[in-house]
């Protein structure tokens, strides 16, 4: 017979699952169905997984297969845009090799993306690897059908490695291998993703980094202990930073599975802590942002799971740790409540000569303290509550030491 799980629905079986008919699960851009099988499983399911629109090259999604034993050739034949199905083709800008599909892999050893082509799919017939992430896109935002078996193993592992000792990067693209949500954090809760894997993820980047293609500019949403009890959607891809320059295993456990969760990373998540968010603009174009969070009992140094380094090391706007700085630009800089009234936080601005920019205080849900941006070279303090810091550099700006954020209960003025 036929069994359908609607996008807002879920099915949990405490026993075994056997299917000789058709079982399908649905999703939308914001709602994802789940199936969890506690016993054994035989027979296939089809998970119709929503994938973002290509949108002229900017709409790539990070996706993994939510089922096992699924070949890329069968996936392409079902979803190929050459027919009536929505899988995009090309390299994201309408160009690309003949027969190139909008399904690609990331290689951290040389920081490159490679899309599958028709010849590779037909000759090598590769499988989707459980737990591996892929870049993927549809023509106009639609579901792609993944058909295969349900993973009921106690654990699933995928190897990660940092190539920062050569010419590569620390980032590895992995994915939720289950047709259900998985619990990400916090790391203090048993059997969450961050709890199980904190020893193999770089302490400066403890968390998961999900690509938000819709944001302008496209950016990465960071989920860590600041996010509280979080879960991510079936088949959702994301980046993690490997701690070691030798291969280590990321582990997914069946205990991580849950039927509760929200959408993917495209819409982002909201933190529920005292926060200051700074944004950098060129004219009206948002170029970068960085956040300060204030949580009881944190330090001015590294607090793994709370602090988070920037995905790209030359982002336009970052901070540095106040203490024990080891040169990492921070997208999230978390510290104790006391820092709201007396911290001086190094600010990194990367901008080209001759380009006017402005620093805007976008969010400040904190009580009372003043927030000043100090320019050491110009000898100025700008109250960001009163207005933006605007500047046109005569030489390229980069690195740390010139700009600082002052959190203080006192009122400053130039000339004192």
């Amino acid at each position: 017979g036929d069994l359908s799980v609607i996008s807002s629905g879920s099915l949990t079986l405490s026993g075994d699952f056997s299917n000789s008919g058709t079982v399908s699960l649905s999703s939308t851009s914001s709602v994802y169905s789940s199936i969890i099988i506690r016993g054994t499983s035989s027979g296939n399911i089809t998970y119709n997984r929503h994938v973002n629109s290509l949108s002229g090259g900017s709409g790539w999604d990070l996706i993994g297969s939510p089922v096992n034993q699924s070949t890329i050739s069968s996936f392409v034949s079902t979803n190929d845009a050459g027919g009536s199905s929505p899988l995009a083709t090309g390299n994201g800008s309408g160009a690309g090799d003949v027969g190139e599909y909008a399904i690609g892999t990331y290689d951290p050893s040389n920081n490159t993306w490679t899309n599958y082509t028709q010849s590779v799919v037909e000759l090598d017939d590769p499988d989707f690897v459980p737990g591996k992430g892929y870049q993927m896109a549809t023509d106009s935002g639609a579901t792609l059908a993944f058909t295969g078996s349900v993973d009921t193993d106690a654990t699933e592992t995928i190897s990660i490695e940092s190539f920062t000792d050569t010419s590569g990067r620390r980032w590895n693209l992995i994915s939720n291998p289950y047709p259900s949500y998985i619990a990400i954090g916090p790391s203090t809760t048993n059997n969450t993703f961050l709890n199980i894997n904190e020893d193999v993820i770089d302490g400066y980047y403890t968390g998961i980094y999900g690509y938000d293609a819709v944001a302008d500019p496209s950016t990465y949403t960071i989920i860590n202990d600041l996010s509280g009890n979080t879960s991510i959607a079936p088949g959702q891809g994301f980046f993690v930073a490997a701690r070691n320059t030798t291969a280590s295993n990321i582990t997914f456990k069946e205990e991580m599975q849950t039927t509760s969760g929200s959408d993917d990373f495209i819409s982002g998540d909201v933190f529920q802590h005292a926060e200051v968010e700074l944004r950098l603009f060129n004219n009206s174009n948002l170029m970068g942002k960085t956040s300060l969070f204030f949580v009881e009992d944190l330090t001015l140094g590294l607090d793994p799971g709370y602090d988070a380094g920037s995905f790209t090391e030359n982002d336009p706007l970052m901070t540095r740790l106040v203490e024990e700085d080891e040169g990492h630009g921070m997208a999230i800089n978390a510290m104790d409540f006391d820092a709201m009234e007396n911290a001086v936080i190094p600010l990194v601005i990367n901008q080209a000569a001759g380009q006017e920019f402005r620093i805007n205080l976008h969010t400040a849900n904190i009580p009372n303290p003043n927030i000043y941006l100090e320019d050491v070279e110009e000898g100025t303090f700008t109250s960001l509550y009163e207005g933006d810091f605007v500047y046109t550099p005569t030489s390229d700006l980069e690195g740390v030491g010139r700009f600082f954020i002052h959190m203080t209960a006192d009122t400053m003025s130039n000339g004192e």
Side-chain angles (χ1 to χ4, degrees), residues 33-342:
S33 60
S34 291
I35 184 171
I36 298 177
I37 299 167
R38 302 299 186 192
T40 63
S41 178
S42 63
N44 288 341
I45 67 167
T46 295
Y47 198 105
N48 297 296
R49 207 317 178 159
H50 186 273
V51 177
N52 195 42
S53 167
L54 196 61
S55 301
S58 63
W60 287 102
D61 214 339
L62 300 183
I63 303 293
S65 175
V67 296
N68 284 5
Q69 299 174 318
S70 176
T71 65
I72 294 179
S73 61
S74 64
F75 176 80
V76 166
S77 65
T78 301
N79 299 287
D80 186 2
S84 58
S85 295
L87 177 64
T89 58
N91 63 0
S93 60
D97 295 335
V98 175
E100 182 177 347
Y101 302 112
I103 311 171
T105 58
Y106 175 72
D107 185 352
S109 69
N110 55 15
N111 191 30
T112 58
W113 295 88
T114 304
N115 282 354
Y116 283 100
T117 60
Q118 185 176 3
S119 59
V120 170
V121 170
E122 291 179 351
L123 292 175
D124 298 341
D125 197 20
D127 288 348
F128 283 111
V129 177
K132 183 180 179 67
Y134 302 80
Q135 69 170 358
M136 218 172 281
T138 56
D139 283 324
S140 57
T143 59
L144 298 178
F146 292 84
T147 299
S149 60
V150 177
D151 192 332
T152 57
D153 292 339
T155 61
E156 189 70 65
T157 61
I158 185 82
S159 178
I160 65 170
E161 183 175 349
S162 173
F163 294 91
T164 53
D165 57 335
T166 55
S167 58
R169 302 196 71 192
R170 58 177 54 85
W171 299 104
N172 292 251
L173 179 54
I174 63 176
S175 69
N176 174 5
Y178 302 115
S180 67
Y181 288 88
I182 59 170
I184 294 300
S187 61
T188 52
T189 300
N190 288 337
N191 291 322
T192 62
F193 177 86
L194 294 179
N195 172 260
I196 296 298
N197 294 294
E198 60 181 346
D199 289 342
V200 297
I201 298 176
D202 190 317
Y204 273 90
Y205 304 86
T206 299
I208 67 172
Y209 288 63
Y211 182 60
D212 186 346
V214 174
D216 187 16
S218 299
T219 187
Y220 287 86
T221 300
I222 302 171
I223 302 297
N224 62 9
D225 285 355
L226 287 169
S227 312
N229 296 314
T230 53
S231 57
I232 61 167
Q236 182 62 53
F238 53 91
F239 281 98
V240 292
R243 180 187 293 264
N244 302 313
T245 54
T246 56
S248 303
N249 279 338
I250 285 286
T251 300
F252 296 93
K253 296 181 66 175
E254 61 180 354
E255 288 88 351
M256 296 177 187
Q257 291 181 270
T258 177
T259 59
S260 62
S262 55
D263 57 2
D264 57 13
F265 291 108
I266 298 300
S267 298
D269 291 86
V270 178
F271 294 111
Q272 302 296 324
H273 295 280
E275 176 188 8
V276 170
E277 181 181 307
L278 304 177
R279 294 189 171 189
L280 184 149
F281 291 87
N282 291 153
N283 298 317
S284 60
N285 298 317
L286 174 63
M287 304 304 296
K289 58 185 179 180
T290 190
S291 293
L292 309 172
F293 285 92
F294 303 93
V295 182
E296 188 175 7
D297 295 330
L298 296 187
T299 70
L300 296 177
L302 178 64
D303 295 292
Y306 292 90
D307 295 309
S310 293
F311 186 83
T312 304
E313 295 175 3
N314 59 348
D315 277 350
L317 187 65
M318 303 178 288
T319 63
R320 297 277 275 268
L321 295 179
V322 177
E323 296 179 354
E324 302 171 2
D325 174 27
E326 295 186 4
H328 297 269
M330 309 304 291
I332 296 176
N333 198 339
M335 55 202 82
D336 189 74
F337 288 134
D338 290 343
M340 280 192 287
E341 295 188 354
N342 57 21

